Amino acid sequence: MGDPKGFLTAGREDWPRRPVAERVRDWQEVYVPGALLPIISRQADRCMDCGVPFCHQACPLGNLIPEWNDLVARADWWTAADRLHATNNFPEFTGRLCPAPCEAGCVLAINQPAVTIKNVEVAIADRIWAEGWAVPQPPDRLSGKTVAVVGSGPTGLAAAQQLTRAGHTVVVYEKDDRIGGLLRYGIPEFKMGKVHLERRLGQMEAEGTRFRTSVTVGRDLTAEELRRRYDAVLVATGATAWRELPLPGRELQGIHQAMEYLPLANKVCEGDLPANPLTAEGRHVVIIGGGDTGADCLGTAVREGAASVTQLDIYPQPSPERDETADPWPVYPKVYRLSAAHEEARDLETAPLADADARLFRASTLRFTGDEQGRVRELHLVEVDTERRPQRGSERVLPADLVLLALGFSGPDRSDGLVEGLGLELDGRGVLARDAGFATRVPGVFAAGDAARGQSLIVWAIAEGRAAAAAIDRHLTGGTTLPSPIRPTDRPLTA
Ligand SMILES: Cc1cc2nc3c(=O)[nH]c(=O)nc-3n(C[C@H](O)[C@H](O)[C@H](O)COP(=O)(O)OP(=O)(O)OC[C@H]3O[C@@H](n4cnc5c(N)ncnc54)[C@H](O)[C@@H]3O)c2cc1C
Ligand code: SF4
């Protein structure tokens, strides 16, 4: 252990974000480049190396957090990298994008700010690439078995890397024109630069994983063909069937799903489009939905130069403090959080009619009204109580000429016929049914990630991919040495 009193002598210090006025003028990541490394060893030293590390328990990947905190505190970066890669294929993704349930479970967080675990993770991950330590690890010998992975999000990629390294011949099919799933088309560039994805894909290709883009399995490649060609199939197609808002005026032009809008912004950053065809520039934007997808729309609309941006949340504004009854330590609490996008909107005062940092809480949309050309112009809303009952006299009207629906996802998209073609069943939650070994009822066909778990997080997706890979390896060879960090039924810690 480094300094046993580190937590007493150093306070929490986060990776500083770039000034708002500067960062909203570009699409680069929001953090100050190079500002993490000088502070991170001292921060890692705040880890108490406590006897029962709940951070480790709270991380679905079972990341060996106290171990690499200690190694970083002692500047043993190479061993820290080795220990991080032991449980996580893609720490540069989680280190940037994970909401860090580990930090909510940090023992220090009982009465002090948690260790900056996520920042330690990303510092190690970036060091791995800076030092050239992420060398390809092709298998020593091939098993002669073939696996098709359908879907190239973090689940499919983690499974593919594990199975390729185990010696199987793995082909990843993706219906989009590029690999990455929501990491590519969904998550904005300012949260994670695509360079991190490209580097991993390069490593995976060098290891032998094969990628096939612009192939919709179920349509371009039939389910029968898939099963005939491969010894095993992993369905990792995500949960992208979006929820609708069937209100009066929904048919007006200018009302779009978040996932119609965000991928176009990604394509601008990829250089495919000169501008977003749905751009927020000069428009009054209202985002319906208080979650992270809504926040991603907010950050994107601010960068596109919206005239105003308001995010509606049907829930009350959370307290800044953890509710010790509902969400006691070490549970991930529902508290008021200020994401980078919310900070930007607040500082730029983009939403003069909102309660706080562009968010309007307890807000329920009633209808949309438009102009003679059929374009949306106004959004009518009402304030609701915690039972979602409208409050008399609280009706308001917001100017709105771009409305983005960020209401979450109900399950896998079934328009491609894959689910029916393979004969897969859905469970009561509308996601792919599977047994304790990630197997569907169709022999040799497995299901993992958001498609089977439901809308979740990247850390869970990577854990699902790793665990499904272990199950597939066992199915193909009769045994496995691959790690299996989670069971299909595992869920986040609750009280
Ligand atoms: C806008 C947005 C922002 C998010 N931000 C975060 C974040 O900051 N942090 C975090 O932890 N989580 C975030 N999430 C959630 C996270 O991205 C998902 O939980 C994760 O990507 C799920 O991984 P997956 O591999 O299961 O599915 P996906 O990433 O959805 O990938 C599934 C892939 O399968 C492909 N596919 C589907 N059907 C077929 C077919 N028939 N043939 C071929 N390919 C097919 C799809 O095109 C897609 O590329 C976000 C989600 C959204 C929508
Ligand atoms: S993956 Fe997420 S939960 Fe796990 S250590 Fe990293 S930030 Fe924490």
Side-chain angles (χ1 to χ4, degrees):
M1 189 178 178
D3 178 1
K5 292 188 185 161
F7 66 99
L8 293 174
T9 54
R12 179 177 168 120
E13 200 178 340
D14 282 288
W15 189 0
R17 293 171 181 159
R18 293 188 289 138
V20 166
E22 174 193 312
R23 70 188 197 234
V24 296
R25 287 203 299 269
D26 62 45
W27 295 91
Q28 308 300 314
E29 290 181 6
V30 299
Y31 294 99
V32 179
L36 182 58
L37 207 53
I39 60 171
I40 203 63
S41 288
R42 191 81 187 102
Q43 288 300 302
D45 224 359
R46 292 182 70 234
C47 178
M48 300 185 292
D49 199 15
C50 46
V52 183
F54 267 84
C55 56
H56 172 79
Q57 175 84 12
C59 173
L61 284 164
N63 273 349
L64 305 167
I65 297 163
E67 223 177 297
W68 38 256
N69 275 338
D70 176 44
L71 291 160
V72 168
R74 292 190 285 115
D76 183 352
W77 291 92
W78 193 90
T79 315
D82 180 63
R83 304 314 290 145
L84 180 54
H85 263 158
T87 57
N88 190 351
N89 299 66
F90 312 127
E92 63 277 23
F93 304 166
T94 45
R96 288 182 164 75
L97 299 168
C98 189
C102 54
E103 293 185 18
C106 172
V107 172
L108 189 56
I110 294 173
N111 62 4
Q112 277 197 50
V115 174
T116 56
I117 297 169
K118 176 174 153 171
N119 283 349
V120 178
E121 182 176 34
V122 79
I124 302 169
D126 287 356
R127 189 77 185 236
I128 287 171
W129 288 100
E131 299 286 349
W133 292 334
V135 289
Q137 299 171 38
D140 293 336
R141 69 175 71 87
L142 292 178
S143 68
K145 303 285 185 188
T146 56
V147 184
V149 173
V150 187
S152 69
T155 306
L157 293 180
Q161 185 163 61
Q162 294 293 93
L163 288 163
T164 301
R165 288 178 175 176
H168 306 302
T169 300
V170 181
V171 182
V172 179
Y173 288 97
E174 171 54 56
K175 69 180 176 185
D176 282 334
D177 60 348
R178 288 190 178 86
I179 295 292
L182 291 170
L183 294 167
R184 172 79 66 183
Y185 293 131
I187 292 171
E189 187 82 12
F190 57 82
K191 276 171 62 179
M192 188 183 84
K194 299 299 175 261
V195 59
H196 303 290
L197 180 56
E198 295 297 349
R199 287 197 297 212
R200 272 296 164 191
L201 296 179
Q203 182 199 37
M204 290 180 68
E205 263 174 324
E207 289 169 351
T209 303
R210 300 170 193 184
F211 295 106
R212 302 282 180 270
T213 52
S214 303
V215 180
T216 302
V217 180
R219 200 178 299 148
D220 303 327
L221 176 66
T222 64
E224 300 84 68
E225 185 73 3
L226 190 73
R227 289 195 64 207
R228 200 173 51 73
R229 279 200 214 168
Y230 295 95
D231 297 310
V233 173
L234 176 64
V235 181
T237 48
T240 52
W242 52 57
R243 295 212 173 88
E244 251 308 331
L245 191 62
L247 291 176
R250 168 65 182 92
E251 72 289 350
L252 290 164
Q253 292 169 45
I255 304 177
H256 300 278
Q257 288 283 349
M259 285 303 291
E260 293 174 312
Y261 169 73
L262 290 172
L264 290 170
N266 293 130
K267 282 184 176 282
V268 174
C269 291
E270 295 275 6
D272 294 352
L273 296 172
N276 187 342
L278 303 181
T279 184
E281 187 177 0
R283 298 164 87 178
H284 295 287
V285 182
V286 183
I287 300 155
I288 305 179
D292 293 343
T293 302
D296 289 350
C297 292
L298 183 70
T300 303
V302 164
R303 280 166 181 73
E304 287 179 345
S308 72
V309 199
T310 311
Q311 185 181 9
L312 307 185
D313 192 332
I314 202 158
Y315 294 104
Q317 180 169 340
S319 148
E321 301 295 332
R322 181 195 280 276
D323 178 340
E324 294 294 348
T325 313
D327 298 325
W329 177 91
V331 169
Y332 189 74
K334 186 168 172 52
V335 292
Y336 177 80
R337 293 186 172 86
L338 188 74
S339 74
H342 291 122
E343 183 184 53
E344 291 155 9
R346 181 197 64 190
D347 290 5
L348 298 174
E349 298 179 10
T350 67
L353 302 177
D355 293 344
D357 60 51
R359 280 174 281 192
L360 204 51
F361 292 95
R362 295 177 185 265
S364 177
T365 307
L366 295 172
R367 62 188 176 282
F368 311 99
T369 48
D371 59 20
E372 302 81 55
Q373 281 78 44
R375 292 201 54 88
V376 66
R377 289 291 174 231
E378 289 174 338
L379 181 146
H380 300 248
L381 60 89
V382 68
E383 191 180 316
V384 291
D385 65 12
T386 48
E387 309 295 320
R388 299 196 182 177
R389 286 178 303 229
Q391 300 301 289
R392 193 189 295 263
S394 66
E395 262 204 49
R396 295 171 66 176
V397 181
L398 297 182
D401 32 28
L402 176 64
V403 176
L404 299 170
L405 308 179
L407 302 162
F409 304 90
S410 58
D413 174 15
R414 292 167 63 188
S415 60
D416 48 41
L418 178 64
V419 171
E420 287 72 17
L422 282 172
L424 303 181
E425 287 178 338
L426 301 184
D427 69 12
R429 295 176 307 131
V431 293
L432 299 181
R434 54 189 179 167
D435 67 13
F438 294 85
T440 69
R441 68 180 194 109
V442 183
V445 178
F446 296 76
D450 279 12
R453 169 169 292 275
Q455 184 187 357
S456 187
L457 296 172
I458 285 152
V459 62
W460 281 101
I462 299 172
E464 286 256 338
R466 288 170 70 84
I472 293 170
D473 189 37
R474 192 177 300 108
H475 167 78
L476 293 174
T477 65
T480 188
T481 53
L482 294 179
S484 188
I486 54 167
R487 292 166 300 183
T489 49
D490 283 346
R491 293 290 178 267
L493 278 175
T494 50

